[in-house]
Amino acid sequence: MDKQKWEFPYKWTIIALGALVVLSCGWSLPAAQLDLRFLLLALFTIAGASRITVEIPRITEQISVSDTFIFLIMLLYGGESAVLLAAAEAFVSTLRFSRKPTTVLLNAATMACSTFFTASLLKLGFGTITGLSGQGYSVFTVAVCVMALAQYAVNTSIVAMGLAFRKNISFWQAWSTNYLWSSITYLMGAAVAGFIFMVGLSALILALPIIAIVYYTYDKYLSDIKTTSAQAEQAERERAEAEHARAEAERQRAEIEHERAVQAERHVGELNLHLAEQERISCALQESEEHFRHAAFHDALTGLPNRALLTEKLKAVIERATQHEDYQYALLFLDLDRFKNINDSLGHPIGDQMLIAMARRLEHLVREADTVARLGGDEFAILLDDISQFGDVLNLAERIQEKLTLPFNLSGHEVFSSASIGIAFSSTGYYHPESILRDADTAMYRAKAQGKACHEIFDKTMHARVVDRLKLEYDLRYAVEREEFLVYYQPIVSLDGGKLAGFEALVRWQHPERGLISPTDFVPVAEETGLIVPIGLWVLREACQQLARWQWQSAENRGLLLSVNLSGRQFAQPNLVGDIERILRETHLDPKSLKLEITESVVMENAETAISMLRQLKALGVRLSIDDFGTGYSSLSYLHRFPIDTLKIDRSFVSRMGENGENAEIVRTILTLAHNMGMEVIAEGIEKPEQFSQLKALQCKYGQGYLFSRPVNAEAMEALMASRQQWQPEVSTLTTDFGRPKRSNIQHLRSA
């Protein structure tokens, strides 16, 4: 029977019941009884109690402090207050790990229904809940147990039924597998609530410091138990494996002895033949064992020691360094630069020959006591044992780079390469092989970032940067899920008339703790991790929606254009055209109002593929622009084939126009080229009135920069559009940032 079809109706039935329960309790809530104590307890339960849990040893259950406070509210203020608090706490705590409306509402409704049933059962069996303390300790104890078991039974049953529908299993299977032992958490939570109820909140407040000390001591105790248990289990496994190996060896020895005895009874000659055969087999096994041992600790392609053997050698030198203060060693981590290009252009067999030749070349550069290892792919490591001075290590790194300038002759192909090298010295202080491997790897990536074909020495600041970068990447992944980004807009101005022609959409990250983060800090991380793809689509959708709203607000806004950047990762996505088409359709934006900007370097990485993608984008009706023009290596023949509407002159040329005539001539050349090819030009980075005047004199049609406005949020941009401002040269003052005057030769003039 297919139970999954009942999952959706079941969820919404529980949500509807929960809503009715909340409304009913809210209507009948005796608000006059609620006091400041209730408000403080409720706030603590919602804001912090659900984050605190106490783990129960030996089983996988935890006691949540929030359950204890919900039971306490029920005893102090009655069932209606507990129902509302339980629903609110579940709603808020669910938001911490899920933003799906169905999940949030279902969890809140489940808590509301189970708490309502518990309160109703207590009223039916014991009368007024708030009067339980007056019925004696025995009755009160029974009532607390009933409260815990009722909450446990209803809550777990609702959840287990939903699980049974989703996984298409029986209710009993879902309940017994996941919730059979959960009753202890409810019982302990109710017991704590009953104790607090009897002794009073004042005693609880006085005991809070002691409780906190006990809680953290207990938490540390559990952590130690886990560590000790894991070590004991590992030791037991190793002992069992050794016993098994010993027993197997004894068994084989017994079989051989038995076979020898049987053969001796038959014939001495046959015994000798058999013993000779056994000897040959034993030798073969020994050779096979040595072969497998060598294979386990050496790279199959190059014959070099692999990571496992290098780790063992690192353990030995680390131990030696702890025993002898004057003993020093170093680790070099090498990564071949652009090795992927060799595989892609010449094929993997040539790439394998390259790795073998690299291994032999490195072996000839080191001493006999040193170890050259291949860690995998195009990564190598060199362990320098017992070095006399650190300068020798740097000299070796330089000799490696020098030797790599000589070509490799691979099946008739002359191949050149270089390597990025990270160096970690023993003076940093290491106790584990993984630590020095990590630090040398970190230094290697630093060398790659410096431009490749060089070496970098690890220091503590590198590790701090790596940790900060990992934290930034971790936060960035959550930022994508929580949509913590903002879209800022920078005006693009018609230099001839001084009117607003459009704007460029730029992303900003509103970090919940660090505030507004600059794109220069997080966009490179987003590019490297691929998160730029969902971020870019979110920016495109938000900006298109905003432009559509502005265009419908005023007829004067209908001609405004929106420029949105496409990253290299986005441009390489096979479904990019479909995503943009869907966004345009959903936002009802005319494609002619959207201009997509791609950097010059991105389109030239694979020009033929770029032409195909640009033509598909052009077929949507959008406009296309090449960003940062003049900084890359565009071929004029390819530029002529690109279906481009606009060239954006890079700010580096604009910023130095007044310094010498050379940059002005470069800008003039780009403008002439664009005009001859029927393209428009936008100059970026206009910050001075002289640049405005020069560009206008060169017949540059559009410009953007801080002279007109910094990137601002949508509200500030609306204020700018509402002012109908114009920018014109040769006026005494400049009004920017929406009302603050600055001395300049340009003024924002309000049009009639």
Side-chain angles (χ1 to χ4, degrees):
M1 177 181 177
D2 184 12
K3 297 181 180 180
Q4 293 179 338
K5 63 182 180 180
W6 297 104
E7 180 186 4
F8 182 79
Y10 174 75
K11 285 183 178 179
W12 283 103
T13 300
I14 298 299
I15 292 173
L17 288 175
L20 290 175
V21 167
V22 170
L23 291 174
S24 174
C25 291
W27 179 264
S28 58
L29 177 69
Q33 299 179 11
L34 305 183
D35 52 15
L36 178 60
R37 181 181 64 178
F38 170 81
L39 179 60
L40 294 176
L41 286 173
L43 288 176
F44 178 75
T45 303
I46 295 173
S50 61
R51 300 176 183 267
I52 306 174
T53 58
V54 180
E55 185 175 348
I56 304 172
R58 306 295 181 186
I59 62 175
T60 59
E61 298 296 337
Q62 295 178 331
I63 301 173
S64 173
V65 177
S66 63
D67 293 337
T68 300
F69 279 84
I70 290 170
F71 286 142
L72 181 61
I73 289 292
M74 184 180 297
L75 295 173
L76 289 172
Y77 295 98
E80 293 85 356
S81 302
V83 169
L84 296 177
L85 178 60
E89 189 279 331
F91 185 90
V92 173
S93 61
T94 305
L95 283 175
R96 296 194 192 110
F97 64 87
S98 175
R99 293 303 176 95
K100 292 181 63 176
T102 307
T103 303
V104 176
L105 294 176
L106 181 62
N107 286 353
T110 299
M111 283 299 297
C113 291
S114 59
T115 308
F116 178 78
F117 176 84
T118 301
S120 301
L121 187 60
L122 287 177
K123 288 180 182 178
L124 182 63
F126 301 94
T128 304
I129 299 177
T130 55
L132 284 172
S133 60
Q135 300 185 30
Y137 284 107
S138 58
V139 175
F140 180 76
T141 302
V142 173
V144 169
C145 293
V146 170
M147 177 173 65
L149 293 176
Q151 187 82 351
Y152 159 68
V154 178
N155 201 323
T156 58
S157 296
I158 293 174
V159 178
M161 182 61 73
L163 185 64
F165 285 142
R166 183 167 70 253
K167 294 190 175 182
N168 200 23
I169 57 178
S170 68
F171 168 80
W172 172 251
Q173 184 180 358
W175 187 83
S176 62
T177 303
N178 298 279
Y179 308 110
L180 183 60
W181 298 104
S182 299
S183 59
I184 188 171
T185 65
Y186 290 86
L187 286 170
M188 294 188 72
V192 174
F195 175 76
I196 296 172
F197 177 74
M198 294 302 292
V199 302
L201 288 176
S202 58
L204 173 64
I205 294 173
L206 292 175
L208 276 178
I210 300 176
I211 294 173
I213 294 172
V214 171
Y215 171 79
Y216 286 109
T217 303
Y218 180 67
D219 184 67
K220 180 65 169 60
Y221 167 71
L222 289 180
S223 177
D224 292 343
I225 286 179
K226 290 180 180 178
T227 302
T228 304
S229 298
Q231 293 174 348
E233 290 174 2
Q234 177 65 22
E236 180 62 25
R237 283 196 299 270
E238 293 177 354
R239 186 196 64 78
E241 291 174 358
E243 287 293 337
H244 177 74
R246 192 177 301 110
E248 181 65 18
E250 289 293 338
R251 187 187 63 80
Q252 292 179 357
R253 189 178 298 110
E255 289 180 354
I256 293 174
E257 291 296 333
H258 175 72
E259 184 67 22
R260 286 176 177 175
V262 172
Q263 292 296 332
E265 291 177 359
R266 292 181 179 177
H267 198 277
V268 175
E270 292 180 1
L271 176 60
N272 291 334
L273 289 174
H274 180 72
L275 291 176
E277 182 65 23
Q278 288 291 329
E279 186 67 24
R280 285 195 296 273
I281 292 174
S282 177
C283 292
L285 289 174
Q286 185 175 358
E287 291 177 0
S288 178
E289 181 181 355
E290 292 176 356
H291 170 75
F292 283 121
R293 184 184 300 276
H294 184 274
F297 289 100
H298 289 80
D299 175 52
L301 178 65
T302 64
L304 293 176
N306 59 13
R307 183 183 289 268
L309 183 53
L310 177 65
T311 300
E312 294 301 316
K313 289 180 176 290
L314 283 171
K315 289 180 181 178
V317 297
I318 290 173
E319 179 66 23
R320 200 173 304 139
T322 59
Q323 297 175 356
H324 305 282
E325 294 183 359
D326 57 344
Y327 174 78
Q328 297 177 346
Y329 62 93
L331 182 68
L332 281 69
F333 199 111
L334 292 79
D335 185 273
L336 297 183
D337 300 326
R338 294 174 293 276
F339 178 72
K340 184 177 182 297
N341 294 343
I342 298 174
N343 277 335
D344 292 344
S345 58
L346 301 178
H348 287 275
I350 300 297
D352 289 346
Q353 292 182 34
M354 174 72 177
L355 295 174
I356 295 171
M358 180 68 180
R360 303 291 83 81
R361 192 170 290 188
L362 291 176
E363 285 179 319
H364 284 97
L365 290 172
V366 300
R367 302 168 302 171
E368 185 176 351
D370 301 327
T371 302
V372 179
R374 183 186 176 210
L375 303 181
D378 58 344
E379 293 180 340
F380 295 84
I382 301 177
L383 173 59
L384 300 179
D385 190 6
D386 195 13
I387 57 178
S388 58
Q389 54 185 1
F390 291 145
D392 295 339
V393 181
L394 303 182
N395 292 336
L396 173 61
E398 292 173 358
R399 289 203 309 274
I400 292 173
Q401 298 291 4
E402 181 182 351
K403 289 296 183 182
L404 288 181
T405 60
L406 303 176
F408 292 90
N409 193 337
L410 309 174
S411 298
H413 299 279
E414 277 198 347
V415 178
F416 292 86
S417 184
S418 61
S420 299
I421 304 175
I423 305 173
F425 289 110
S426 58
S427 56
T428 302
Y430 294 103
Y431 300 96
H432 304 286
E434 296 80 9
S435 300
I436 189 171
L437 278 167
R438 177 202 64 203
D439 291 350
D441 186 31
T442 299
M444 181 274 293
Y445 275 104
R446 180 67 176 172
K448 277 195 177 296
Q450 295 298 323
K452 303 182 177 65
C454 62
H455 61 268
E456 285 286 334
I457 302 172
F458 175 81
D459 56 45
K460 295 294 185 181
T461 59
M462 282 188 186
H463 181 65
R465 284 196 298 267
V466 171
V467 172
D468 290 342
R469 192 230 182 249
L470 289 175
K471 178 65 167 59
L472 184 68
E473 179 182 338
Y474 176 83
D475 291 348
L476 190 59
R477 293 185 184 278
Y478 275 93
V480 172
E481 296 178 9
R482 299 169 181 169
E483 295 185 353
E484 296 176 353
F485 301 99
L486 303 172
V487 179
Y488 273 38
Y489 302 88
Q490 185 173 34
I492 297 175
V493 177
S494 171
L495 300 185
D496 185 29
K499 293 184 178 181
L500 179 68
F503 24 74
E504 180 178 358
L506 302 165
V507 66
R508 298 291 186 269
W509 179 9
Q510 186 66 48
H511 193 281
E513 298 175 358
R514 298 169 56 182
L516 204 62
I517 299 181
S518 169
T520 57
D521 294 330
F522 73 86
V523 167
V525 179
E527 286 273 8
E528 184 177 340
T529 59
L531 293 172
I532 194 66
V533 175
I535 294 173
L537 288 177
W538 182 87
V539 171
L540 179 63
R541 180 177 287 104
E542 289 292 313
C544 287
Q545 286 178 343
Q546 185 63 66
L547 178 61
R549 284 195 293 268
W550 284 338
Q551 287 182 339
W552 282 105
Q553 286 175 1
S554 170
E556 284 129 347
N557 295 342
R558 301 286 166 79
L560 294 177
L561 299 179
L562 171 68
S563 294
V564 180
N565 293 287
L566 287 182
S567 71
R569 283 288 191 104
Q570 284 181 279
F571 194 68
Q573 295 297 306
N575 55 345
L576 174 64
V577 177
D579 289 338
I580 295 175
E581 184 178 18
R582 182 175 62 257
I583 290 173
L584 289 171
R585 184 172 61 251
E586 292 172 354
T587 58
H588 305 288
L589 182 69
D590 187 345
K592 293 193 297 293
S593 300
L594 176 63
K595 183 181 293 184
L596 300 175
E597 295 187 3
I598 307 98
T599 61
E600 182 181 10
S601 58
V602 168
V603 295
M604 289 307 301
E605 281 182 1
N606 191 330
E608 293 296 337
T609 303
I611 290 172
S612 174
M613 177 60 76
L614 291 172
R615 287 175 177 170
Q616 294 179 57
L617 293 172
K618 191 68 175 176
L620 294 177
V622 301
R623 306 187 187 196
L624 300 176
S625 173
I626 290 186
D627 197 10
D628 300 336
F629 187 77
T631 61
Y633 46 90
S634 291
S635 166
L636 293 182
S637 61
Y638 276 114
L639 184 62
H640 182 74
R641 295 172 60 190
F642 291 148
I644 299 298
D645 301 289
T646 306
L647 296 181
K648 294 192 76 172
I649 301 176
D650 186 71
R651 65 182 67 249
S652 61
F653 299 121
V654 174
S655 63
R656 297 194 298 268
M657 284 185 64
E659 296 178 4
N660 53 58
E662 179 182 347
N663 286 292
E665 286 303 317
I666 292 176
V667 173
R668 185 193 305 274
T669 301
I670 295 175
L671 285 165
T672 302
L673 173 66
H675 292 157
N676 290 338
M677 299 182 70
M679 300 178 185
E680 294 180 343
V681 177
I682 300 176
E684 293 185 290
I686 302 176
E687 299 182 359
K688 299 178 181 179
E690 309 87 72
Q691 297 165 355
F692 181 109
S693 300
Q694 283 182 283
L695 289 165
K696 183 177 180 181
L698 291 173
Q699 297 183 346
C700 180
K701 192 171 183 180
Y702 300 104
Q704 66 182 101
Y706 287 179
L707 181 66
F708 310 120
S709 172
R710 293 176 177 269
V712 295
N713 59 27
E715 292 76 12
M717 181 55 65
E718 286 182 359
L720 178 62
M721 290 189 293
S723 67
R724 312 312 305 170
Q725 292 176 348
Q726 291 181 246
W727 291 266
Q728 292 293 340
E730 300 174 355
V731 182
S732 59
T733 61
L734 169 64
T735 304
T736 58
D737 295 334
F738 314 113
R740 294 190 295 273
K742 297 182 181 180
R743 297 299 302 172
S744 178
N745 294 324
I746 300 181
Q747 183 183 26
H748 286 208
L749 300 178
R750 297 185 181 275
S751 61

